Amino acid sequence: MPKKKIAVLTGAGVSAESGLATFRGSGGLWGEYDPQEVASIEGWYRNRELVLGFYNQLRAQLSKSKPNAAHLAIAGLEKDYEVTVITQNVDNLHERAGSTRVIHLHGEATKVRPEDGVYDRTYSEKEVIDVGYEPVCLGDLAPNGSQLRPHIVFFGEAVPNIEKAIDVVADADIMLIVGTSLNVYPAAGLYRYAKNNTPVYLIDPEDVAIYDPKITHIREVATKGMDEFIRRIKE
Ligand code: APR
């Protein structure tokens, strides 16, 4: 009997209990930094050093954090289901929790690539360099001689993996959304590609930017909500 397929869309809230700040909640990163300055393509062209410093700081924080029970529960679903995690997060906590199929929509904080200014070019595995938690500074150059830049999808850039993510959602038997305010497209619209008879669950302690009667909202933090979600799909 083939395993049922679960598509899991996650956002910053799933890593909140690992001590990583979210973006828009109280204490969120966008309360401290202007995303247009540190996470947009214009911000990069205006001040590369500021952007490199922001992601160096994120990597340093990531080096001190570890997967929480929600990451582990999502990875644990793979025992009984075919799970694909589609994450907006740039941390590596899903992989470190043991999830084996992770699609990063907004890039990965531990990776850098050449800033050769070619709009929307895809980058081969060998061009994308995993620097782990090491800082990367102005003057650190890629093999092709251009400045190394964060392997992040900045605001103002296309989302190369969105087609892959749409196919995963369209093919899923169950969809789970955990810890995202559903403010940012195209990620926020992904659930609309689920088949009509595919139940969509949302785990978030707060209201989110989208209300849709099709979505079953489990109003809990991720670690507790995962228990409730698993109970419901096992019913
Ligand atoms: N468990 C579950 N959800 C939580 C928890 C928790 N412990 N703590 C906070 N949340 C929820 C908040 O209620 C909020 O709905 O997580 C969500 C976080 O929302 P945002 O801060 O907007 O983060 P996210 O939705 O991931 O942002 C999407 O925006 O800035 C860009 O690229 C960035 O990927 C990011 C994208």
Side-chain angles (χ1 to χ4, degrees):
M1 169 82 167
K3 289 181 179 179
K4 279 194 170 182
K5 294 175 182 162
I6 303 186
V8 185
L9 172 66
T10 66
V14 80
S15 300
E17 291 162 271
S18 296
L20 294 180
T22 61
F23 292 97
R24 294 171 182 81
S26 60
L29 279 175
W30 296 155
E32 218 183 312
Y33 294 89
D34 175 355
Q36 284 311 315
E37 278 192 355
V38 295
S40 80
I41 188 63
E42 294 82 5
W44 170 253
Y45 290 143
R46 263 197 299 272
N47 189 339
R48 287 169 172 72
E49 205 151 17
L50 178 73
V51 176
L52 288 166
F54 177 74
Y55 286 96
N56 286 341
Q57 204 184 335
L58 216 61
R59 273 197 287 277
Q61 267 167 349
L62 189 48
S63 68
K64 294 197 279 295
S65 69
K66 58 186 182 28
N68 64 56
H71 294 107
L72 294 168
I74 290 168
L77 288 172
E78 293 190 19
K79 212 167 35 354
D80 302 320
Y81 301 90
E82 189 186 309
V83 184
T84 304
V85 176
I86 302 162
T87 187
Q88 300 172 87
N89 299 340
V90 294
D91 65 47
N92 55 2
L93 296 177
H94 282 302
E95 292 89 342
R96 286 164 58 194
S99 286
T100 59
R101 250 192 308 275
V102 181
I103 298 174
H104 282 272
L105 290 180
H106 297 163
E108 298 179 66
T110 58
K111 296 180 179 170
V112 289
R113 67 169 200 247
E115 181 255 347
D116 53 13
V118 181
Y119 187 70
D120 269 359
R121 166 164 89 81
T122 50
Y123 292 80
S124 68
E125 284 302 307
K126 67 178 185 355
E127 289 181 286
V128 174
I129 304 160
D130 192 330
V131 292
Y133 308 116
E134 292 306 308
V136 171
C137 303
L138 211 52
D140 290 346
L141 304 181
N144 73 2
S146 70
Q147 170 66 46
L148 282 172
R149 64 156 273 181
H151 186 49
I152 295 288
V153 177
F154 288 142
F155 282 112
E157 294 188 306
V159 179
N161 288 334
I162 193 64
E163 296 303 328
K164 208 159 51 173
I166 288 171
D167 292 346
V168 166
V169 171
D171 194 29
D173 301 304
I174 301 169
M175 180 167 188
L176 171 62
I177 303 169
V178 192
T180 172
S181 63
L182 292 175
N183 266 299
V184 175
Y185 288 80
L190 270 175
Y191 83 94
R192 296 198 182 111
Y193 290 91
K195 296 188 285 279
N196 279 340
N197 60 349
T198 294
V200 180
Y201 296 89
L202 165 74
I203 299 175
D204 199 305
E206 311 288 336
D207 285 333
V208 294
I210 289 178
Y211 174 73
D212 184 328
K214 171 181 169 94
I215 298 175
T216 304
H217 188 162
I218 300 172
R219 215 170 270 277
E220 287 284 2
V221 292
T223 49
K224 282 213 194 69
M226 279 308 295
D227 295 342
E228 170 63 16
F229 167 72
I230 291 167
R231 195 184 59 71
R232 286 178 184 231
I233 60 173
K234 296 270 185 212
E235 251 165 15

